[in-house]
């Protein structure tokens, strides 16, 4: 395995079972995410994008197959070890409502650093630096409900990158945004990818954003059906 | 901690419910402790001062028919007691079953031979005399109002006493009624005739005859000092000559001792109802809180918070609310008790007051509560609240992040 591989997935299968129904969400996905990549996985609703991101981020376990994060097999980890791994090595951006409403913007961004035991002064310095980079430092003391949807998602991106994770996984981060805000958010993520070298892997079904990614995977019916690298 | 405090601020109404659910039980428990201690103090005082003392030295013999055996006060025992620093005060008594008669009327009584000068220090009877005066020497008696009514007695009347003790046989004497007292207990008012010790000794024709040395242990102010009474009894046993034994308060007034033993557990059990209700409110409140915050908790868990962190956050919340509620409730209870005491105690309402009087208890209740009880009430409530929050906190900690983030209330 190449040393710059951050995440490797082998034969990922995910079946959701209810009493009467069995749904095959992923049908054997193999992929590698390399350090510094800016990758999108696109596909229609129900194609398995969110499931794939949950498995890659250790939020859910595959029915079969394995995910390796920096060479570590996630299926062998206890839920608490997985939580620790997420805290230290993965940044997450979810579709919406993913900020903690009772914490200010600054506290939301420093939250994961606080869980990691980073000293208060250091975490505030790092958080303010990222907020400034994303142009939202002026909202540091505001509570999330006072911010627009686009601003809230920028705060979520700030929170995801502030801890210098191995990879940021974003599940349809633009789903609740209009076209302009969606493009702005993706551009911002791309800029962070270029300036900080942060690895991004995000899911989207918005075709207008796909020209902004370096690598594009198309997921259909639980399988990666095409892959292309773009300039 | 910050997350917990912000959540308290976010859900103010729920915070108020949780606060009150811990405030009231702690308040009620402290006040109940105050009542229990007040009642026990009253019972203890009336029983020990009127009748039993903290302990008594008696003959080790047992007599059938309920009479107390007579013994001759051993030489040296008085000196031993006088030099003992275990006892604060002691006095001699000779109790004899007798028939009191005047003219054609008679009534079964207990003649209590006492040391009039000594007993003034401890017994309330001299202070309860409502006609005439208390006995001063030989040949005088005081009787209760009830007995005076039964025998149609008045101060200055001559009363015939016919004693019949299983060991001493029959004895007879005439005493002059010098006073009538208002007994705190009707039974006592009907049956007690107090005379001087030598008058009672004349009835049994034995000098130095006593039935009890009634003693008060140094440093004992209430039933909470039972261990001091036990310790003094054990020490006294060592210096007593053969044939004598120490009987403690609990043996001398078993009904009062039993009441005191069960009063606190009964009140505590009653308070437990409020604790359970408080606990259910806390459980409900935090269960709803976890439901409402399911998505948020899912996000927090997804970001990497451990189960321990999630539980700790919820426990901080319950600790802050129940801690402030229980502590303030307990302190308010203490304050109310102090206020009642400052105003002279609590005069109990009519029927209850009469009931207590029948037991020889002062109908003015003096509430008291110890710092340990206040702390215990507050800590117990906090403990119940934390236990009640355990299930919702555990549920929150075990949320599956993906499921939780999909959750819509």
């Amino acid at each position: 395995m190449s040393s710059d591989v951050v995440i490797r997935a082998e034969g990922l299968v995910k079946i959701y079972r209810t009493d009467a129904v069995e749904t095959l969400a992923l049908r054997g996905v193999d992929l590698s995410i390399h350090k510094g990549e800016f990758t999108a996985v696109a596909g229609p609703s129900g194609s398995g994008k969110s499931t794939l991101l949950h498995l890659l981020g250790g939020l859910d376990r595959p029915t079969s197959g394995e995910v390796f994060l920096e060479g570590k097999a996630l299926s062998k980890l206890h839920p608490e070890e997985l939580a620790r791994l997420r805290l230290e090595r993965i940044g997450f951006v979810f579709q919406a409502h993913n900020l903690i409403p009772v914490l200010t913007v600054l506290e939301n961004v420093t939250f994961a650093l606080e869980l990691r035991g980073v000293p208060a002064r250091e975490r505030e310095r790092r958080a303010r630096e990222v907020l400034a980079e994303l142009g939202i430092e002026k909202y540091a003391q505001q509570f999330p409900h006072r911010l627009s949807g686009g601003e809230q998602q920028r705060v979520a991106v700030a929170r995801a990158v502030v801890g210098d994770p191995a990879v940021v996984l974003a599940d349809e981060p633009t789903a609740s945004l209009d076209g302009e805000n969606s493009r702005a958010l993706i551009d911002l993520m791309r800029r962070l990818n270029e300036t900080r070298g942060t690895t991004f892997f995000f899911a989207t079904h918005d075709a207008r954003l796909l020209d902004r990614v370096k690598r594009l995977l198309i997921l259909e019916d639980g399988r990666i059906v095409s892959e292309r690298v773009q300039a | 901690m910050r997350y917990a405090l912000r959540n308290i601020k976010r859900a103010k109404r729920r915070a108020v419910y949780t606060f009150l659910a811990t405030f009231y039980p702690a308040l009620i428990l402290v006040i109940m402790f105050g009542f229990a201690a007040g009642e026990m103090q009253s019972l203890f005082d009336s029983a020990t001062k009127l009748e039993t003392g903290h302990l008594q030295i008696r003959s080790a013999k047992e007599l059938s028919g309920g009479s107390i055996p007579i013994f001759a006060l051993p030489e040296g025992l008085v000196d031993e007691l006088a030099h003992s620093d275990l006892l604060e005060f002691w006095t001699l008594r000779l109790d004899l079953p007798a028939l009191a008669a005047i003219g054609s009327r008679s009534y079964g009584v207990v003649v209590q031979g006492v040391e009039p000068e000594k007993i003034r220090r401890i017994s309330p009877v001299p202070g309860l005399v409502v006609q005439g005066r208390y006995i001063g020497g030989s040949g005088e008696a005081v009787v209760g109002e009830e007995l005076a009514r039964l025998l149609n007695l008045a101060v200055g009347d001559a009363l015939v006493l016919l004693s019949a003790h299983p060991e001493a046989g029959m004895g007879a004497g005439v005493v002059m009624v010098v006073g009538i007292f208002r007994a705190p207990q009707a039974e006592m008012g009907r049956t007690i005739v107090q005379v001087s010790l030598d008058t009672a000794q004349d009835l049994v024709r034995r000098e130095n005859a006593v039935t009890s040395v009634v003693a008060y242990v140094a440093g004992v102010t209430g039933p909470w000092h039972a261990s001091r009474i036990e310790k003094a009894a054990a020490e006294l046993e060592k210096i007593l000559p053969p044939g004598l034994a120490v009987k403690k308060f609990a043996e001398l007034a078993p009904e009062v001792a039993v009441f005191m033993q069960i009063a606190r557990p009964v009140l505590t059990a009653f308070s437990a109802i409020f604790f359970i209700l408080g606990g259910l409110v806390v459980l409900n409140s935090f269960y709803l809180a976890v439901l409402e915050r399911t998505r948020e908790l899912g996000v927090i868990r997804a970001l990497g918070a451990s189960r321990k962190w999630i539980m700790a956050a919820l426990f901080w919340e319950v600790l802050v609310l129940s801690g402030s509620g229980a502590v303030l409730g307990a302190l308010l209870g203490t304050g109310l008790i102090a206020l009642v005491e400052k105003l002279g105690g609590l005069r109990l309402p009519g029927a209850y007051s009469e009931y207590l009087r029948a037991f020889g208890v002062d109908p003015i209740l003096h509430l008291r509560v110890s710092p340990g009880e206040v702390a215990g009430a507050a800590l117990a409530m906090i403990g119940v609240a934390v236990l009640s929050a355990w299930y919702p906190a555990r549920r929150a900690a075990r949320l599956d992040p993906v499921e939780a983030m999909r959750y819509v209330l």
Side-chain angles (χ1 to χ4, degrees):
Chain A
M1 185 174 64
S2 165
S3 63
D4 70 344
V5 173
V6 179
I7 293 182
R8 185 160 56 91
E10 288 180 356
L12 286 186
V13 173
K14 180 67 182 177
I15 302 169
Y16 292 108
R17 292 190 175 93
T18 58
D19 290 342
V21 185
E22 223 176 55
T23 309
L24 197 53
L26 291 179
R27 299 164 184 261
V29 171
D30 297 293
L31 70 87
S32 292
I33 302 169
H34 295 79
K35 194 173 177 203
E37 278 186 351
F38 192 74
T39 308
V41 58
S45 288
S47 59
K49 300 186 297 296
S50 291
T51 302
L52 178 62
L53 260 83
H54 292 156
L55 297 183
L56 296 181
L59 290 172
D60 202 357
R61 293 186 190 268
T63 308
S64 66
E66 185 61 274
V67 176
F68 298 91
L69 176 70
E70 296 179 316
K72 198 175 276 184
L74 301 191
S75 67
K76 294 187 169 51
L77 299 179
H78 183 271
E80 288 300 275
E81 290 174 312
L82 265 179
R84 191 76 206 170
L85 194 74
R86 288 198 298 271
L87 180 65
E88 291 175 351
R89 302 306 298 150
I90 304 173
F92 284 102
V93 182
F94 303 107
Q95 289 185 17
H97 310 296
N98 65 76
L99 297 178
I100 301 165
V102 291
L103 301 183
T104 64
V105 164
L106 184 67
E107 289 162 351
N108 263 285
V109 177
T110 58
F111 182 74
L113 295 178
E114 194 177 339
L115 292 180
R116 281 160 66 171
V118 175
R121 191 171 291 185
E122 169 66 6
R123 58 180 188 252
E124 186 173 338
R125 185 191 65 73
R126 284 165 70 172
R128 285 194 181 278
E129 190 182 294
V130 176
L131 287 173
E133 206 172 335
L134 297 179
I136 47 173
E137 199 190 359
K138 61 186 172 195
Y139 302 126
Q141 300 305 330
Q142 300 279 359
F143 283 92
H145 70 272
R146 294 196 167 271
L147 275 58
S148 68
E151 288 162 345
Q152 286 190 32
Q153 283 304 68
R154 276 198 270 169
V155 176
V157 171
R159 182 180 64 192
V161 301
V162 74
D164 291 327
V167 63
V168 172
L169 300 173
D171 184 12
E172 306 240 19
T174 61
S176 59
L177 304 181
D178 59 27
E180 190 183 336
N181 273 312
S182 296
R183 280 188 294 276
L185 186 77
I186 297 300
D187 288 345
L188 207 66
M189 286 162 54
R190 174 84 188 240
R191 204 172 74 220
L192 289 169
N193 167 253
E194 282 162 1
T195 57
R196 299 173 74 99
T198 309
T199 308
F200 278 89
F201 185 86
F202 68 96
T204 183
H205 65 267
D206 189 342
R208 294 168 299 179
L209 304 174
L210 302 183
D211 59 344
R212 284 165 158 81
V213 301
K214 293 180 186 170
R215 182 181 169 210
L216 178 64
L217 306 174
I218 304 295
L219 194 66
E220 276 181 22
D221 210 15
R223 282 198 189 91
I224 292 175
V225 293
S226 76
E227 176 180 351
R228 72 170 185 264
V229 177
Q230 308 176 144
Chain B
M1 179 67 167
R2 181 175 52 214
Y3 178 68
L5 292 177
R6 297 275 174 78
N7 275 319
I8 290 170
K9 212 169 149 190
R10 164 163 65 172
K12 290 191 188 76
R13 187 179 292 183
R14 192 164 43 234
V16 169
Y17 288 152
T18 307
F19 175 87
L20 291 178
T22 51
F23 175 85
Y24 282 120
L27 171 69
I28 288 166
L29 185 61
V30 166
I31 289 176
M32 282 195 171
F33 275 147
F35 268 94
E39 279 201 41
M40 284 198 284
Q41 171 86 68
S42 295
L43 278 171
F44 183 81
D45 281 352
S46 55
T48 57
K49 286 178 183 171
L50 279 171
E51 186 64 29
T52 65
H54 295 157
L55 51 84
Q56 292 185 9
I57 297 169
R58 288 185 175 183
S59 166
K61 275 191 287 185
E62 294 288 340
L63 294 181
S64 59
S67 293
I68 308 169
I70 295 170
F71 65 96
L73 197 63
E75 279 186 28
L77 180 60
V78 170
D79 282 344
E80 288 261 26
L81 295 179
H83 289 104
S84 166
D85 55 1
L86 291 169
L87 303 181
E88 184 181 309
F89 171 79
W90 53 272
T91 184
L92 305 174
R93 211 163 78 197
L94 177 57
D95 289 356
L96 301 169
L99 193 69
I102 180 168
S104 59
R105 294 166 182 251
S106 62
Y107 198 78
V109 297
V110 174
V111 171
Q112 277 188 349
V114 299
E115 298 177 286
E117 286 311 311
K118 282 185 93 174
I119 207 165
R120 278 177 186 279
R121 226 182 106 183
I122 192 77
S123 170
V125 173
L128 295 173
V129 172
V130 290
Q131 286 179 50
R133 59 173 172 81
Y134 190 60
I135 51 174
S138 304
E140 296 180 344
V142 287
V143 298
E145 282 182 312
E146 289 82 354
L147 184 64
R149 252 196 312 276
L150 283 166
L151 297 180
N152 206 12
L153 276 175
V155 172
D157 284 348
L159 182 66
V160 176
L161 297 174
L162 296 165
S163 71
H165 191 277
E167 291 176 308
M170 303 286 283
V174 179
V175 291
M176 181 192 280
V177 177
V178 295
I180 295 172
F181 65 91
R182 180 165 296 157
Q185 191 180 6
E187 177 67 12
M188 181 188 174
R190 272 196 300 274
T191 58
I192 297 297
V193 176
Q194 274 195 354
V195 298
S196 64
L197 182 63
D198 58 342
T199 305
Q201 286 169 338
D202 285 347
L203 286 173
V204 294
R205 300 168 302 280
R206 292 184 195 186
E207 280 185 26
N208 284 337
V210 294
T211 46
S212 330
V213 179
V214 181
Y216 295 85
V217 177
V220 172
T221 61
W224 36 89
H225 287 143
S227 62
R228 290 186 190 175
I229 297 176
E230 295 278 342
K231 194 176 160 202
E235 290 296 317
L236 276 178
E237 292 274 9
K238 292 179 193 165
I239 61 168
L240 287 183
L244 295 185
V246 177
K247 287 204 178 282
K248 287 161 280 185
F249 162 74
E251 300 166 84
L252 297 164
E255 66 290 344
V256 177
V258 166
F259 179 80
M260 289 200 302
Q261 268 178 353
I262 63 167
R264 188 167 299 234
V266 167
L267 286 177
T268 305
F270 186 64
S271 303
I273 296 169
F274 292 93
F275 272 58
I276 291 167
L277 286 176
L280 287 175
V281 173
V282 173
L283 171 66
N284 181 54
S285 172
F286 276 81
Y287 188 78
L288 285 175
V290 169
L291 278 186
E292 283 171 16
R293 291 183 215 154
T294 297
R295 277 186 76 121
E296 180 183 320
L297 290 167
V299 170
I300 290 173
R301 191 87 176 105
L303 291 176
S306 63
R307 287 174 177 172
K308 211 167 120 187
W309 188 93
I310 303 262
M311 287 191 85
L314 283 159
F315 280 137
W316 270 119
E317 209 171 317
V318 77
L319 270 177
V320 169
L321 288 171
S322 67
S324 53
V327 169
L328 287 178
L331 288 179
L332 180 66
T334 313
L336 287 175
I337 286 171
L339 181 68
V340 167
E341 278 310 287
K342 204 175 172 187
L343 296 174
L346 194 67
R347 181 169 287 281
L348 295 166
Y352 190 53
S353 170
E354 288 307 311
Y355 170 80
L356 288 178
R357 227 172 96 79
F359 277 88
V361 179
D362 184 355
I364 292 182
L365 212 55
H366 295 285
L367 310 188
R368 56 174 287 162
V369 66
S370 70
E373 287 168 332
V374 176
L379 287 175
M381 189 61 247
I382 293 169
V384 168
V386 169
L387 276 180
S388 304
W390 184 268
Y391 172 68
R394 191 168 172 273
R395 192 175 183 277
R398 288 174 177 267
L399 283 173
D400 175 75
V402 175
E403 289 296 318
M405 284 190 289
R406 284 193 198 122
Y407 184 80
V408 180
L409 190 65

